[in-house]
Amino acid sequence: MAARGTMGLARSVAIMSIAATLSRILGFLRNTAISALFGQNQLTDMLNTSFIIPDTIYLILVGGGVSSAFIPVLASYLAARDEEVVWQTVSTAFNLVLTLVGIAVILGMIGAPALIHLIAPGFDADQAAYTAYLTRIVLVAILFHCLNGVLMGTEYAYQSFIGTAIGPLVYNTAIIVFGLALAGRYGIAAFALSTLIGAALNFLVQVWGVWYLKPRYRLTLDLNNPGIRRIFRLMLPVTIGLSIAQLNLFFNQTFIASFLPRGSINALTISSRVVLVPILFASSMGIALLPALTRIAIERDYTSFSRYLSGSLRAIIFISLPATVGLITLGQPVVRILFQHGRFTSADTLATTEALVFYSLGITAYGAYEILSRAFYATQDTITPLKIGLVTLAAGTALNFTLGPAFGIRGLALAYSLAGFVNVGLLLYYLRRKVQASLGGRRLLTTAAKSLLAALVMGLILMLVAGHLPLPAAWPRLVRESLELTLLVALGVLSYAGLAWLLRMEELANLLSILSRRLHRSRATAD
C-alpha cells in the first residue's frame, strides 16, 4: 500500500514537474520576446511594476487559500467520501471569489495612480501614469487568475491534472503569440493585453478540466457552509503571511529598486524567474504531497508523516545544491542565451547575471519552504507559519534596506536569499516540535554535506571546461553558445550523478528507481 502511494506521488510529481517545466520554458520565451523588443529599461520596469497590485490581490484573496485551506478541506471531505459537501463548498468558493475579486479589481482600477506612486516612489510622473494604465489592464486578467485558482485547487484535491497541466501552457503561449502580434500597434502594452487574453483562455481550460470531475455547481453564496468557514479560519493567517512575503518581495524588487538605475527592476525580476526553475520541482512535489500529508495527519500517523517529509526534503537538497552551483558557474551564458537579443545588450546581461548569482544562493531555502509550509497546512496549522513570516519580514526588511542601498541589485538579491534561510530554519525547528517526531536531521545533514561536495567538484569541472569546447567559430553565436551550454549542462548532470554514485547517495538511487519504474511501465504499455 505504501509502495503504491509512493509511486502515485512520484507520478503526480513527474506530471506536475514536466508541465511546470514546459510552462517555465514558455515563460522564458515570453521574457525573451519582451527583452528583444524593448530591452532592459524604464519600459520593462513599468511592465513588471504593473503586476505588483494585481499579484497582491491574487495572493491575498486566493493564492494563500488554495494550498493552505482549500485543498486540505476538500481532501478531508473526499477522504470521508462526502462529495455532496465538496461541491457545495466549491460552488460557494467560486461565487465568493468572483464577487470579492470583482470588487477589488474595480477599486484597484480607481486607485491605480495613487497606488503606483506608493509602490514605486522613484518613478517620475510619466512613468507612474503609464504604469497605472498597464496595471488596469492586468487587473482584469487577475480576475480570471483568481477563478482559475479555485478550479485548479478542486482538480488538485481530486488529484486530477488535466487542466492544471495544460492551462499554464496555453496561458504562456497566448502571451507570446498575442504579445508579438499586437506589439507593433500597442507597444509594450501588448504584453499586458496578451496576459489578459492568456488568463481568459486558461480559465476555459480549467473549466474543461473540472468538467471531467462531473461538477455539481450551484448558484449559491452560503457563508454558513462549514467547509467555507473552515477555509476562512485556515486561510486568514496564511493570507496575512503571504501579504508579508509579498511585502518583502515588494521592498526587494520594486520599492528600493525604483531608485536604482533604470532597468534594475527588470534585472531583478527576470533573474528571480530563472532561479524559480529548480524551485519548480519543489513546488510540484509540495502540491502533489499535500493531499497525502493531509490524510496522514488526519490519522495522526506522524511517523509516516515525518518519513514522507524527510524524504522530500532530502530530494530538494539533492537537486537544489547542484542547481545553485550550476547557475553561479554558468549564469552569464544562461542569461545571454535567454535574453541577449535585439535591444537587450551585453551590459544588461552583466547586470542580470549579478542578480542571478546572489538569488541562486537561496534556491535550497525556498525549495525547502515549498515542502515545510505545506506540511503545516496539512496539519491545518496556519498560525505558526504566520508568526514565522512576521519574523522573516523583519529580517528581510532590515537586510533589504541595509544591503540594497549599499550594493545595488547584488545586495537586494542577497538579502532575499538570506531571508529565505531565516524562514526555513524557523519552519524546520517548529515543525519538528509540532509533530514530536524526528525529521531525520542527521540524514538531512549527511545529504547536504555530500550534495555540496559533489556540487562544488561539479562546478570546478565546469569552470575548467567552459570556453574550451572545440566548436566552430564560424557558427552563428546563438547556435554555438546554445550547444556549448547544453553540453556543459549535460556534463554537469553526469559529473554530479557520478560523484553522487561514488558517495553512495540514497537520493540518487531513489531517483533512478523512479525513472526505471516509469520506463518499464512505458514499455509494458507499448507492448
Side-chain angles (χ1 to χ4, degrees), residues 63-80:
V66 170
S67 61
S68 65
F70 192 66
I71 295 176
V73 168
L74 293 190
S76 65
Y77 286 142
L78 288 171

Side-chain angles (χ1 to χ4, degrees), residues 23 47 157 176 194 321 331 340 347 374 397 413 444 472 503 506 523:
S23 180
L47 180 65
I176 296 168
S194 64
L321 285 177
Q340 192 176 314
R374 288 179 172 86
T397 302
L444 287 173
L503 293 170
E506 176 187 342
R523 286 178 176 175

Side-chain angles (χ1 to χ4, degrees), residues 30 34 38 46-48 50-51 54 130-142 145 171 174-175 178-180 182-183 186-199:
R30 174 195 65 203
I34 295 171
F38 304 102
M46 289 187 292
L47 180 65
N48 287 314
S50 71
F51 282 84
Y130 193 71
T131 304
Y133 162 68
L134 297 175
T135 298
R136 289 186 173 114
I137 298 172
V138 182
L139 276 168
V140 182
I142 218 66
H145 279 306
Y171 170 67
I175 293 177
F178 288 99
L180 291 173
L182 299 173
Y186 296 102
I188 202 163
F191 286 92
L193 290 167
S194 64
T195 297
L196 171 56
I197 296 170

Side-chain angles (χ1 to χ4, degrees), residues 49-366:
T49 304
S50 71
F51 282 84
I52 298 295
I53 297 169
D55 285 350
T56 301
I57 290 174
Y58 174 79
L59 284 173
I60 290 176
L61 295 182
V62 175
V66 170
S67 61
S68 65
F70 192 66
I71 295 176
V73 168
L74 293 190
S76 65
Y77 286 142
L78 288 171
R81 301 183 182 279
D82 197 349
E83 283 203 70
E84 184 63 29
V85 177
V86 167
W87 290 110
Q88 289 176 358
T89 304
V90 170
S91 297
T92 298
F94 184 90
N95 298 330
L96 191 59
V97 166
L98 180 61
T99 303
L100 293 178
V101 177
I103 294 171
V105 166
I106 294 171
L107 294 176
M109 286 184 168
I110 295 171
L115 290 170
I116 295 302
H117 281 294
L118 180 65
I119 66 176
F123 280 6
D124 60 32
D126 290 339
Q127 285 178 283
Y130 193 71
T131 304
Y133 162 68
L134 297 175
T135 298
R136 289 186 173 114
I137 298 172
V138 182
L139 276 168
V140 182
I142 218 66
L143 176 60
F144 288 108
H145 279 306
C146 291
L147 295 175
N148 288 339
V150 176
L151 298 179
M152 293 174 76
T154 305
E155 292 175 79
Y156 285 137
Y158 274 91
Q159 298 191 29
S160 172
F161 303 105
I162 299 173
T164 57
I166 298 173
L169 304 180
V170 172
Y171 170 67
N172 280 311
T173 301
I175 293 177
I176 296 168
V177 172
F178 288 99
L180 291 173
L182 299 173
R185 182 173 181 180
Y186 296 102
I188 202 163
F191 286 92
L193 290 167
S194 64
T195 297
L196 171 56
I197 296 170
L201 292 175
N202 187 12
F203 173 73
L204 295 177
V205 172
Q206 301 315 320
V207 171
W208 171 69
V210 171
W211 186 259
Y212 280 87
L213 303 177
K214 299 179 180 179
R216 305 166 199 170
Y217 172 74
R218 297 173 178 81
L219 194 62
T220 180
L221 203 62
D222 182 11
L223 298 182
N224 290 319
N225 180 296
I228 294 296
R229 296 171 79 89
R230 284 177 63 195
I231 290 169
F232 271 139
R233 188 172 63 253
L234 291 171
M235 75 176 283
L236 182 59
V238 179
T239 296
I240 298 172
L242 281 173
S243 301
I244 291 168
Q246 184 72 356
L247 191 60
N248 186 31
L249 189 63
F250 153 65
F251 282 129
N252 185 261
Q253 291 186 359
T254 307
F255 189 90
I256 299 173
S258 70
F259 292 100
L260 298 178
R262 290 181 176 180
S264 295
I265 293 175
N266 192 66
L268 289 163
T269 301
I270 64 176
S271 60
S272 66
R273 287 173 181 169
V274 174
V275 167
L276 280 176
V277 173
I279 298 176
L280 284 174
F281 173 81
S283 180
S284 300
M285 178 178 286
I287 290 171
L289 191 64
L290 183 55
L293 284 180
T294 300
R295 287 192 292 271
I296 294 171
I298 290 172
E299 297 168 0
R300 297 190 176 277
D301 182 3
Y302 288 122
T303 300
S304 298
F305 188 94
S306 300
R307 186 171 62 250
Y308 265 82
L309 197 59
S310 179
S312 299
L313 288 173
R314 293 199 307 275
I316 297 303
I317 293 170
F318 180 72
I319 290 173
S320 62
L321 285 177
T324 296
V325 174
L327 282 175
I328 291 173
T329 307
L330 304 175
Q332 188 168 331
V334 167
V335 174
R336 189 165 57 241
I337 290 167
L338 287 175
F339 306 114
Q340 192 176 314
H341 311 285
R343 296 183 179 180
F344 195 97
T345 66
S346 57
D348 297 331
T349 293
L350 290 175
T352 304
T353 302
E354 287 183 343
L356 175 63
V357 166
F358 288 95
Y359 272 136
S360 298
L361 297 175
I363 290 175
T364 302
Y366 285 99

Side-chain angles (χ1 to χ4, degrees), residues 397-449:
T397 302
L399 289 166
N400 279 319
F401 279 94
T402 302
L403 299 177
F407 302 104
I409 59 176
R410 290 174 297 175
L412 289 173
L414 178 59
Y416 195 71
S417 294
L418 293 176
F421 279 102
V422 172
N423 193 13
V424 79
L426 292 172
L427 286 170
L428 193 60
Y429 173 76
Y430 283 103
L431 183 62
R432 187 178 182 277
R433 291 182 58 182
K434 182 177 184 62
V435 300
Q436 293 294 309
S438 173
L439 297 179
R442 183 172 297 178
R443 295 180 70 185
L444 287 173
L445 289 175
T446 299
T447 297

